[in-house]
Every structure is written in structure tokens, then in C-alpha cells.
Amino acid sequence: MKQVILTGDRPTGRLHVGHYVGSLKRRVDLQNSGKYDEIYIMVADAQALTDNAEHPEKVRQNIMQVALDYLACGIDPEKSTIFIQSMVPELTELTFYYMNLVTVARVQRNPTVKAEIKMRNFEASIPVGFFCYPISQAADITAFKATEVPVGEDQMPMIEQCKEIVHKFNSVYGETLVDPKIVLPDNEACLRLPGTDGKAKMSKSLGNCIYLSEDPADIKKKVMSMYTDPNHIRVEDPGQIEGNSVFTYLDAFSKPEYFEEFLPDYSGMDELKEHYTRGGLGDVKVKKFLNNVLQAELAPIRERRQMWEKRPQDVYDILKSGSEVARAKAAETLADVRRAMKIDYFENDNLFK
Ligand code: ATP
Ligand code: MG
């Protein structure tokens, strides 16, 4: 069986370091491993519209930004197909058929959707499209016959939902769809990177992000005002690591060579944490270290982004030709689906049969 990756992001803003550790970095590694036959990376504009119906302009503007972030991180258009979701209308048709295989109660149970409804204050006014986006995501994944989906932890319920649809479809209509596997980050700190405000998740919609395109002065400003342990007031006070975003970010980003370069007094994370917990290590020193680490990680990404920013026509062409490739693949799957459901009426006069 072909090894295929499908993953994507909503164009609701520029991508941030949460996306990077949660999914982007892994995609680039997988892309460069040479183990995959096909890799599809989707700018999920149709999904973004499910809770931004009144702001299509925002979604449109951010398509280019997300594409630039991909290229900046090392997604290589020669190896990966980058495309725009709504330019593949086959996905909408698949969604429509899959909707019949899922109950309202099942969608209501999805914990990520529940949390997002709360966060957006939708409660009594949930757009039907938003409510159904896990089903449309199943269409995205299966349209490309993806075997692996590298995403952050918040996407686990979506992959579960997708697998259920695959099983249901295959049992009702015969073996047609491919069962996908979720690929989570192997570093625990990267599963769900918290925001700079210490809130559960760094998210474009919460305004608690450090963006991949952030300039050095802003990175520093954001790091120096990050949430730490609110009870760690004086340097001598014992500090808490758990729930302390600065340490979570260090767990996600620091490498032994950064200690050698920026903080040679400490052998590594264990010693740094031990000192902080014991007391005598100030937040400012840890934040300065984190700032150095993030500056080192983000500088090459920012530089590559600036290079692509000067080539908007090339980025446009990458998205356009990627969308054509993606559409052809999705059309093949849709034909399989119609055949399995016996709704391919005009193929071989099937309507008569
Ligand atoms: P929005 O607020 O519009 O939903 P978002 O910041 O949650 O935006 P998405 O486009 O929904 O971003 O998510 C894209 C991918 O990045 C998903 O695979 C998701 O799991 C991952 N991701 C997003 N935020 C984080 C985070 N803070 N930590 C780890 N992974 C994340
Ligand atoms: Mg999200």
C-alpha cells in the first residue's frame, strides 16, 4: 500500500510556534525521510470559513501567509503538494455522503468541538458547518487515501471520528476507504503547547502566540512577559515547573548545544529545573535563556520566509498547481466512492441495472 500523508492548517492567522512543534516540524522530517509516496498539505480555507463566515477576507489574506509559513519551515513543493481546500470541490461532495454515516449525538460528543464552541461563545448559535467540520475533515483525510496524519493532540477526536466513518463506509458499501493513523509529536511538551499567557493552548484565536514570522524584538518582548509560576516572587523562592510555560517551551525547543552556547553553568534541563524548584534561580535568567533558544530556532525560518515573500508569483503558482494535483487525486477517490455506493449512474449504463 502507498504511504500517504495528509495534514493541514486553517488560514485564520499566521502560524505560530505551537504549530511548529505540534505538527510542522514533524511534517518536514517525514517529508525528508523519503518514506512517503505522496504528501498533501492543505490550507483549510473551507474549514476556516465555518466559524468565519462573515470574514472571508481574513481567510483569503491568510492563505498566502500560511503558505509562506510552510515554505519557511522547509516544506518543499517538489516533495509535498500544497493546496487550497476549497479548490478541491470533491471534498464537499464526500462530506455530504459521510454526513449520513454519523449521528448528531456522535458529533456532539467530540471534546475538541465542545471546547471550541465554548471558546467561541457559540453555545446557542453554532453554525451547522462548524458543527460538522470533523466530518469534512474525514473527507479531507480519506480523499487522499492518507495512511498517516501528523497533527497536534487536539486533533485526536477528529482522527477517531474519521476512522469510524471509514469503518462504517467500508462495512456498508464494501472496502473502499483507507484507515488513517494519527502521528503525534513524540515530545510530550509539544503535544499541546500552551500560550504565552499560560492558557491551555497557544491558538491564533486566543492572541497568545509567538509567530514563526515574529521579529527578534517582539520575540524577546513576548518571552520576557511570559506567564511563569505566580508564586515565584523573589529569586530565593522555590518555583514550580508544572504549568510554567517557560519550562514547557524549553522542554519543546531546547537542545544540549543551546546549553553549551547560552547557559554553560548548567548541564541541561534537569539541573535547570532542579535549581528552579529548590529556589535561587530567577525567572529573568530562565526567560533570557528561552529567548536565546527561540531566536536561534526562528532566525533561519524567518530568513527563508523573507526570501519567499519576495516571490509571491512563485507561491501563487505552487498553490495553483498543487490544487490541480490534489483535485485529480480526490476525483479518483470520489469515483471509487460513487462506484461503491452504486450512484455512478452514467458509468456503463449503471442506472438501468
Ligand atoms: P484556530 O484558533 O483558528 O483553530 P489554531 O491555532 O488552533 O487555529 P489550527 O489551524 O486549528 O490552529 O491547527 C493546525 C495544526 O496545528 C493542528 O494539527 C493542531 O493540532 C496543531 N496545533 C495548533 N495549536 C497547537 C498547539 N498549541 N500545540 C501543538 N499543536 C498545535
Ligand atoms: Mg484549531
Side-chain angles (χ1 to χ4, degrees):
M1 192 167 63
K2 271 191 181 170
Q3 294 300 303
V4 181
I5 288 178
L6 176 284
T7 178
D9 307 272
R10 295 152 41 94
T12 49
R14 294 176 175 218
L15 298 185
H16 52 64
V17 295
H19 297 120
Y20 184 66
V21 295
S23 169
L24 274 170
K25 202 167 146 191
R26 188 62 171 274
R27 289 180 212 174
V28 174
D29 292 344
L30 295 175
Q31 168 195 272
N32 296 335
S33 73
K35 285 190 197 143
Y36 295 88
D37 300 294
E38 293 166 23
I39 301 173
Y40 297 93
I41 304 197
M42 178 179 80
V43 185
D45 67 324
Q47 191 186 116
L49 285 167
T50 64
D51 59 331
N52 284 283
E54 277 143 48
H55 310 286
E57 183 61 19
K58 168 178 146 190
V59 173
R60 191 170 65 83
Q61 296 291 346
N62 280 306
I63 290 176
M64 205 64 176
Q65 297 305 325
V66 169
L68 284 167
D69 285 324
Y70 287 165
L71 296 163
C73 288
I75 298 290
D76 176 353
E78 299 283 320
K79 297 179 185 156
S80 299
T81 301
I82 306 175
F83 71 98
I84 303 175
Q85 185 182 24
S86 71
M87 295 292 98
V88 183
E90 285 75 7
L91 300 174
T92 321
E93 192 177 332
L94 280 178
T95 305
F96 200 63
Y97 302 140
Y98 293 174
M99 280 177 170
N100 306 327
L101 305 175
V102 183
T103 65
V104 171
R106 175 63 185 88
V107 185
Q108 274 167 334
R109 273 206 319 272
N110 183 313
T112 299
V113 174
K114 266 193 202 162
E116 287 175 338
I117 285 171
K118 209 163 160 203
M119 192 179 104
R120 287 165 175 74
N121 293 321
F122 275 157
E123 264 90 34
S125 57
I126 314 162
V128 175
F130 181 82
F131 183 68
C132 297
Y133 90 75
I135 305 173
S136 114
Q137 217 165 297
D140 304 332
I141 295 167
T142 53
F144 296 93
K145 300 205 158 74
T147 49
E148 286 178 36
V149 187
V151 283
E153 191 193 32
D154 63 319
Q155 294 302 307
M156 265 163 87
M158 310 307 163
I159 310 299
E160 266 319 303
Q161 176 77 81
C162 177
K163 291 169 88 67
E164 283 174 31
I165 291 174
V166 168
H167 297 159
K168 178 92 186 187
F169 189 100
N170 288 349
S171 74
V172 176
Y173 304 114
E175 210 57 36
T176 311
L177 303 175
V178 174
D179 200 8
K181 194 173 90 199
I182 189 168
V183 182
L184 292 172
D186 35 29
N187 177 344
E188 203 189 325
C190 302
L191 284 174
R192 187 180 296 238
L193 199 76
T196 50
D197 56 358
K199 291 231 173 75
K201 181 173 172 277
M202 181 178 286
S203 166
K204 290 172 238 144
S205 309
L206 290 175
N208 57 6
C209 308
I210 295 176
Y211 292 96
L212 292 173
S213 49
E214 205 93 63
D215 72 57
D218 288 335
I219 297 173
K220 183 161 185 198
K221 206 159 48 183
K222 289 188 177 180
V223 169
M224 296 315 284
S225 56
M226 256 176 83
Y227 180 86
T228 57
D229 168 7
N231 300 318
H232 185 240
I233 297 159
R234 288 163 309 162
V235 174
E236 317 80 81
D237 293 339
Q240 198 176 324
I241 305 292
E242 205 185 314
N244 188 323
S245 298
V246 174
F247 279 93
T248 311
Y249 285 24
L250 282 174
D251 280 332
F253 285 99
S254 96
K255 297 180 198 150
E257 54 265 39
Y258 289 141
F259 276 92
E260 279 165 39
E261 194 177 346
F262 304 123
L263 207 60
D265 303 352
Y266 294 84
S267 59
M269 281 309 290
D270 288 346
E271 193 184 342
L272 192 71
K273 285 181 185 171
E274 194 276 318
H275 193 183
Y276 192 82
T277 313
R278 178 161 36 97
L281 173 59
D283 280 341
V284 171
K285 187 165 179 177
V286 190
K287 284 179 172 175
K288 279 188 174 157
F289 177 50
L290 174 61
N291 174 53
N292 283 325
V293 168
L294 284 179
Q295 300 286 358
E297 288 277 318
L298 297 181
I301 296 176
R302 190 172 50 242
E303 280 156 26
R304 220 171 312 144
R305 198 180 199 280
Q306 283 162 353
M307 197 250 325
W308 280 104
E309 280 167 3
K310 295 193 193 104
R311 302 167 54 187
Q313 186 63 47
D314 290 337
V315 182
Y316 178 101
D317 292 342
I318 288 167
L319 288 169
K320 186 155 184 271
S321 60
S323 299
E324 283 159 13
V325 171
R327 190 165 183 195
K329 169 92 180 197
E332 274 174 33
T333 305
L334 183 60
D336 295 345
V337 161
R338 287 178 146 272
R339 198 174 312 119
M341 294 172 72
K342 301 199 183 348
I343 56 169
D344 56 342
Y345 310 119
F346 298 137
E347 294 295 318
N348 310 314
D349 296 334
N350 280 344
L351 185 59
F352 291 134
K353 290 174 191 162

